[in-house]
Structures are given as C-alpha cells and as structure tokens.
Amino acid sequence: MPFPSSPRARSGPHRRSLLAVAPAALLVAGCSAGSDQSGTADGGRPSAADRARARAARDSAALAARYEAVAAAHPKLAERLRPLRAEVLRHAEAFGNTASSSSPSPSGSGAAAAAPPPPVPAKQKDALAELAAAERELAGRRAEALLDAPGELARLLASVAAAGAAHVYLLTEAKR
C-alpha cells in the first residue's frame, strides 16, 4: 500500500532560485579560490602557504643530502638508497626547490646548500636507522603541517608524508 503524500509544502529553496544564484556563487568562488594558494600576504611578505612550501622544499633537500652522505660513507648501500634519494629530490622539486637535481655529486645536487648533514654512523645498520628516523620525523611534521595548509598544498604534503612513511618501512625492512 503506497504512503499518502504529505500535505505540507516543500521547504527549502526551489530549483529556479538555485539556478538563478548559482552563477553568482561560482563567480565569487572563482575570484577567491586562488587567494590563499600563493603570492604575498599583506606587507609584501610571503603567505603562510608559500612559507610552508619553501620549508618543505628545504627539508626535502636536506634529507636528500643526508641520503647522499650515507651512500658516500657506505658504498654498499648506495644502490639501495639511490631510488629513495631520487624520490626525495622529486619531492623537493614538487615543493618548488628548483636547485635540486638528480646528480649524485654533492656539488651539483643543490641538496647540501641548506646545511651539512650530520655525521654518518660507522655501522651500516645505524646509518639506516638514522635515515629512517629522519624520514619518520619529517613525515610527522608534514602530516601536522597539512592541517593548516590550503587544498593543493595539503594534498601534496599528505602524499609526500605517505611516501616518507613508505621510505621508513623500506629502510627498516630486515630482509634487505
């Protein structure tokens, strides 16, 4: 048995009023959508998003330099670390670090420009553990930073943080 229709009038906006308002809403959204993405804040200072992006690029470049230092100190690990370092360099480029490159030489990478990496432990196992700790710490900072970042930057931070977590796994995997 079908239910009788309600005698109440429909509440909420009608379809015609939504169609009339939609173009204006799109115009307003289109004008303001990119305002928090880049550019400068009042006073000519970089926006919070630009500062977060620059920090993320520097962090990735410093991490790449750390990978390079471990590979130089432990040549047997170089092959294992090469794809991880290359991905970290791509992260730096994605955040806007144009100085980084995939060149394995310290002078050509741009990754060592921020600060010299800490000393590399003499034991391979300890060197890998320190790399994993650096990746873990950086992934955690990026996961926190994405909460305050605008859309596209938040997605990039989340993606790179997830990649960092995968690097931790690959660096600590016992069977390698």
Side-chain angles (χ1 to χ4, degrees):
M1 169 161 113
F3 293 106
S5 63
S6 171
R8 287 187 305 173
R10 266 183 47 204
S11 63
H14 293 278
R15 187 178 350 180
R16 286 186 184 159
S17 62
L18 287 176
L19 289 174
V21 174
L26 288 174
L27 180 63
V28 170
C31 291
S32 64
S35 64
D36 64 350
Q37 296 294 325
S38 63
T40 58
D42 293 336
R45 293 187 348 208
S47 69
D50 287 342
R51 290 190 307 271
R53 186 179 291 277
R55 178 180 177 158
R58 284 190 310 270
D59 288 346
S60 288
L63 184 59
R66 197 170 204 163
Y67 269 96
E68 191 169 316
V70 171
H74 299 286
K76 290 182 181 180
L77 293 175
E79 187 63 33
R80 178 178 175 185
L81 298 178
R82 182 175 296 122
L84 299 176
R85 180 182 172 274
E87 190 166 286
V88 169
L89 285 170
R90 284 191 297 274
H91 296 160
E93 290 171 5
F95 286 119
N97 185 352
T98 57
S100 64
S101 77
S102 58
S103 167
S105 68
S107 62
S109 70
V120 177
K123 293 183 179 180
Q124 288 183 11
K125 183 178 179 181
D126 294 339
L128 288 175
E130 281 193 7
L131 269 178
E135 283 274 16
R136 187 178 297 113
E137 188 269 333
L138 187 54
R141 275 195 290 144
R142 287 177 171 161
E144 286 179 25
L146 72 86
L147 298 174
D148 298 324
E152 189 60 35
L153 179 57
R155 285 186 286 278
L156 181 57
L157 285 166
S159 177
V160 174
H167 290 183
V168 171
Y169 172 77
L170 293 171
L171 290 167
T172 58
E173 184 180 8
K175 297 201 178 206
R176 283 210 144 187

